[in-house]
Amino acid sequence: MADERPKERADAARNRRAILEATAALLAEHGADALTMDRVAAAAGVGKGTIFHRFGNRAGLLHEMIAETTFALMDAVRTGPPPLGPGAPADARLLAFFDAFVRMMTDNIEVTVAYLQGPPHPQAAEIHEFWDEHIAALLREARPDLDAEVVGRLLFGALGAAMVPQMARAGETERLLGAVRELVESVLIIR
């Protein structure tokens, strides 16, 4: 799942940057619902075919938009410093993961919303499997009495609720972070 890209020609790299920058600008200005390939092509100064050739479809373009932050978070989970990376207790790592994931979503909320509205990218299943396994492993360590797979998926699934983008768009990121932290902490408490 490594994010390894072949060397690009200068014009291809320039077009790629223009397309990604235009997409980000359109999302910031008009939101996820207004993003069309025609608008992206016009804003980037390229033909629509260039976008389809480069990214395959809208889902591929949006995947590319979130890939950098997604793969950076995955790397931090695998090899980064504690508490997000190895070396911290499971409960601290779980809290750090949810904090980081919510921040990643809210910092890129329009991209996230647009991405979630479309068909899943081919790598999406592999990425979600990574998150599921990570959360379940930490839950098994912190709370061996739980059904870690189901509880983990329920916790992670909460981030897909409609209120997440609503709160992010309303500037309530800190409140959202606090609520997610409380939810995770409630699972970590042994009764």
Side-chain angles (χ1 to χ4, degrees):
M1 181 176 1
D3 186 29
E4 298 173 14
R5 295 188 172 108
K7 190 96 170 142
E8 290 181 299
R9 294 182 336 260
D11 62 330
R14 189 173 45 253
N15 284 344
R16 179 180 174 279
R17 272 191 315 277
I19 293 165
L20 295 176
E21 288 170 5
T23 303
L26 288 167
L27 285 168
E29 186 176 345
H30 303 289
D33 295 334
L35 185 72
T36 66
M37 298 301 253
D38 288 323
R39 281 185 166 177
V40 172
V46 300
K48 195 162 81 169
T50 300
I51 299 172
F52 283 107
H53 176 74
R54 179 62 191 237
F55 300 103
N57 56 25
R58 186 176 189 262
L61 171 60
L62 294 167
H63 175 77
E64 185 70 18
M65 293 291 297
I66 63 172
E68 185 176 330
T69 55
T70 300
F71 290 125
L73 181 55
M74 292 171 92
D75 287 343
V77 162
R78 284 187 199 109
T79 62
L84 188 55
D91 56 349
R93 289 194 73 197
L94 192 63
L95 288 166
F97 167 75
F98 274 94
D99 283 348
F101 199 91
V102 170
R103 286 230 183 259
M104 181 182 72
M105 285 181 70
T106 58
D107 288 351
N108 302 287
I109 195 59
E110 293 303 328
V111 176
T112 301
V113 168
Y115 179 73
L116 293 174
Q117 288 174 346
H121 187 272
Q123 264 187 314
E126 189 177 352
I127 291 168
H128 285 280
E129 183 179 330
F130 177 86
W131 300 136
D132 285 343
E133 288 174 5
H134 177 64
I135 294 166
L138 294 175
L139 280 172
R140 270 193 297 279
E141 187 177 333
R143 287 285 311 272
D145 58 311
L146 291 178
D147 182 338
E149 286 77 23
V150 173
V151 172
R153 286 184 181 165
L154 288 170
L155 281 174
F156 195 56
L159 300 182
M163 69 184 298
V164 172
Q166 290 168 354
M167 290 181 77
R169 287 172 167 162
E172 295 186 275
T173 298
E174 294 306 316
R175 183 175 178 204
L176 178 62
L177 281 163
V180 171
R181 178 172 273 275
E182 288 174 4
L183 179 63
V184 176
E185 286 173 342
S186 72
V187 170
L188 292 171
I189 296 169
I190 297 176
R191 301 188 196 313

